[in-house]
Amino acid sequence: MKNTHLQRIHHVCDYINHHIDEPLTLDSLSVVACCSKFHFHRLFMSITGVSVTKYTQFARLKRASYRLAFEHHKRIIDIALEANFESPEAFSRAFKRVFEQSPSQFRSTPNWPHWHAQFDFKTPELKSNDMKVEIVHFAPQAVALLTHNGAATKLMETAALFIQWRKESGLSPVKASHTYGIPYSDPAVTDDDDFRFDFAGSVEKPISDNQYGVRNGEIPAGRCAVIRHLGSHDSISDTVYYLYRQWLPNSAEEVRDFPCFFHYLNLIHEVDECDLITDIYLPLK
């Protein structure tokens, strides 16, 4: 019964994320859950830790925050309407209540650590025990690199700098180049001072010194196991650990001396979170 309830709430969360622009009421979502509306809200909160109303609003505000931070050409009024608020004033009040910054303040200087803290609740995840893993040969890839050292809650600050460099330099355009992430450890078990993550974009020629600290690098060639992660980057560690805990021990493969890395096929400010596609590469000998 517990697994059935978990599956129902997982299905509702997935439904919300895929219908974020539609009216989402307690009555309609209880139907999605195949559960009495008199019990649904308590069941949802017992599993996720938040009310279904708060989860829905947070999903909309989360998308809006990415639009504010990375899509400066979008007007705040348009972002407010996209988030299903009747007016910019209502959007601003809700945004400030959650993130303690107005939309314009967040756009200018986002407080990413506080932003992360607001999403400290667990969306139920159901991972298949038979996820598709392929072995491929990864060709050497010249990249522009920007290293993030420090708390994972501040990753977005470094991401914003890297995006700004890409826009200004034109040497690794987002639309025409590959985008990678290279985590050197798991932030969940790494001290903030020791955590390192490289943002990378493919380049066709060496880059010169710049004020952002972006430098030349390479993702080396070699055999890799690759698995596709669909949806939020918040749960990407679940797919990474599937490779290490379930696939690798049952294979005849050994890892080589290069960290796993992510190939982002689309980016969070371009699509809804549920539509993110990320290929995870595990380098093999």
Side-chain angles (χ1 to χ4, degrees), residues 244 247-248 253-258 282-285:
Y244 283 100
W247 180 82
L248 189 61
E253 301 293 341
E254 293 185 44
V255 294
R256 57 184 160 94
D257 192 25
F258 191 79
L282 180 64
L284 304 172
K285 291 183 177 178

Side-chain angles (χ1 to χ4, degrees), residues 159-175:
L161 290 175
F162 189 58
I163 290 172
Q164 188 64 26
W165 173 84
R166 297 179 88 174
K167 289 179 178 178
E168 289 183 7
S169 70
L171 297 176
S172 181
V174 174
K175 297 293 185 182

Side-chain angles (χ1 to χ4, degrees), residues 16 36 40 42 47 54-55 59-60 90 103 106 112 120 157-158 175 188 191 199 203 236 251 257 260 283:
I16 291 170
S36 165
F40 166 65
R42 291 188 177 89
I47 291 175
K54 184 174 182 179
Y55 183 91
R60 289 169 173 159
F106 187 87
W112 288 114
D120 190 20
E157 295 179 11
T158 308
K175 297 293 185 182
D191 291 340
F199 291 95
V203 292
I236 203 167
S251 73
D257 192 25
C260 71

Side-chain angles (χ1 to χ4, degrees), residues 141 143 166 172-174 176-180 200-203 263-265:
Q141 178 68 76
V143 293
R166 297 179 88 174
S172 181
V174 174
S177 305
H178 297 307
T179 301
Y180 301 95
S202 61
V203 292
H263 178 198
Y264 302 113
L265 301 183

